[in-house]
Amino acid sequence: MSGFEVERRDKENISCLYVKGFLDAHTAPQFEEAIQNLVDEERFKIIVNLCDLTYISSAGLGVFMGFIEDIRSKGGDLKLSNMTSKVYKVFDLLGFPNLYEIYEDENEAVDKYQKA
Amino acid sequence: MTLNKIKKKLQFDSKTSNLVKIRDFVSNLAGKAGFDEDNINKIELAVDEACSNVVKHAYPSGSDYKIDINIEFDDKKFVVRVQDQGKGFNPTELGTPDIKTYLEKREVGGLGIHMMKELMDQVEFNIHPNKKNQVTLTKFK
């Protein structure tokens, strides 16, 4: 039991990752692998739904940062949704809201991709 | 009512799998010290960042090393000392990175140190490579 789970659901050309538990230096490689799999499959329109994420440290934030440039250069994006206020505060600490699209609800992120 | 100074210490193997135990240890004591949930979360995260840096950067991977965590608190402040005997680093070389700098350079450990400084009231480094390195994290009441 690692305390972290990631589940993937594909909706046409959009892939949504549902993360659950805590994302720290121990579990970040598991999340990194999930995103790497999408990149390898050339699925670059990604939403990460954080509704069940209870904790994140810089190791978790580093995963988002490690992929964003590559994914955007391929015409995709990493959009974030449904984060709790506790998790949002950590993202906010490093200025993530200026660099990432963060939505209250996953459907808003889906709409944004579909209308682009 | 005055809270007498309380001291607790624990030693952990330097492994990322122990981070959850370290966070539980710290947040439990921060709660006993009377901090609200927001500040407990900040202290917990700052200590996680200090310990993650030790596990990732201080020691050779796959080795059997330790992290010592000493906590002291009273009604004025909560002090956490994270100690290791690893290779250390020069904290003055790690400035305050912005995200773009981090993306370009991937500064080792810089992001965690930046977060510790944002989360705590005081952060001090006392680095003696391969002898004793100590990060002292302080939150005032």
Side-chain angles (χ1 to χ4, degrees):
Chain A
M1 167 64 187
S2 72
F4 178 77
E5 289 172 31
V6 54
E7 186 190 326
R8 168 180 162 181
R9 285 181 223 158
D10 293 343
K11 298 167 186 170
E12 298 175 351
N13 63 343
I14 299 167
S15 291
C16 195
L17 294 176
Y18 297 85
V19 295
K20 185 176 182 180
F22 53 82
L23 193 45
D24 63 4
H26 189 60
T27 59
Q30 210 179 321
F31 181 47
E32 193 168 8
E33 187 186 348
I35 298 184
Q36 187 63 54
N37 288 341
L38 292 173
V39 170
D40 291 347
E41 293 174 34
E42 301 190 337
R43 296 186 65 87
F44 301 117
K45 292 185 175 176
I46 302 168
I47 299 168
V48 183
N49 184 319
L50 302 157
C51 77
D52 290 320
L53 191 74
T54 54
Y55 177 85
I56 189 165
S57 71
S58 71
L61 298 175
V63 177
F64 290 97
M65 291 159 70
F67 283 102
I68 191 66
E69 284 200 339
D70 185 33
I71 287 172
R72 284 183 179 159
S73 74
K74 304 276 173 45
D77 197 14
L78 262 176
K79 301 186 196 298
L80 315 177
S81 79
N82 300 75
M83 61 176 76
T84 63
S85 68
K86 178 186 174 183
V87 167
Y88 180 82
K89 282 176 187 169
V90 184
F91 276 91
D92 195 33
L93 204 62
L94 291 178
F96 266 62
N98 293 325
L99 290 159
Y100 293 80
E101 291 180 22
I102 299 173
Y103 297 93
E104 282 188 23
D105 189 82
E106 181 192 322
N107 290 329
E108 295 171 47
V110 172
D111 284 349
K112 191 73 193 290
Y113 274 129
Q114 288 173 339
K115 286 174 184 167
Chain B
M1 191 179 79
T2 307
L3 182 66
N4 291 325
K5 185 173 276 188
I6 292 172
K7 295 183 183 183
K8 297 274 181 187
K9 64 178 177 180
L10 267 184
Q11 187 176 68
F12 296 91
D13 288 337
S14 176
K15 294 176 179 168
T16 55
S17 56
N18 281 328
L19 288 170
V20 67
K21 287 184 214 160
I22 290 169
R23 292 197 297 269
D24 285 349
F25 171 61
V26 171
S27 58
N28 184 29
L29 288 176
K32 285 183 178 164
F35 286 99
D36 62 17
E37 193 180 341
D38 196 40
N39 278 307
I40 293 170
N41 292 340
K42 286 180 179 176
I43 294 167
E44 178 187 31
L45 179 54
V47 176
D48 177 320
E49 297 295 343
C51 294
S52 295
N53 275 352
V54 172
V55 177
K56 286 191 287 182
H57 307 303
Y59 295 126
S61 61
S63 308
D64 182 23
Y65 290 102
K66 305 290 182 191
I67 303 174
D68 289 290
I69 301 179
N70 292 281
I71 296 179
E72 279 182 32
F73 64 91
D74 56 23
D75 52 358
K76 292 191 176 65
K77 62 183 179 180
F78 190 88
V79 182
V80 185
R81 293 182 180 86
V82 176
Q83 298 168 345
D84 67 83
Q85 283 83 46
K87 66 180 183 182
F89 63 95
N90 182 353
T92 59
E93 287 177 359
L94 295 166
T96 302
D98 62 27
I99 300 264
K100 285 191 174 153
T101 307
Y102 180 82
L103 275 171
E104 285 161 11
K105 296 184 182 173
R106 298 290 185 89
E107 286 185 25
V108 173
L111 198 60
I113 289 168
H114 172 66
M115 286 180 68
M116 283 182 240
K117 289 177 177 173
E118 291 287 318
L119 294 162
M120 301 299 283
D121 295 320
Q122 279 180 0
V123 181
E124 290 170 13
F125 299 95
N126 204 329
I127 306 299
H128 301 285
N130 302 313
K131 291 177 186 164
K132 187 170 102 173
N133 306 304
Q134 179 171 286
V135 180
T136 306
L137 304 161
T138 304
K139 176 72 81 179
F140 295 104
K141 299 292 283 290

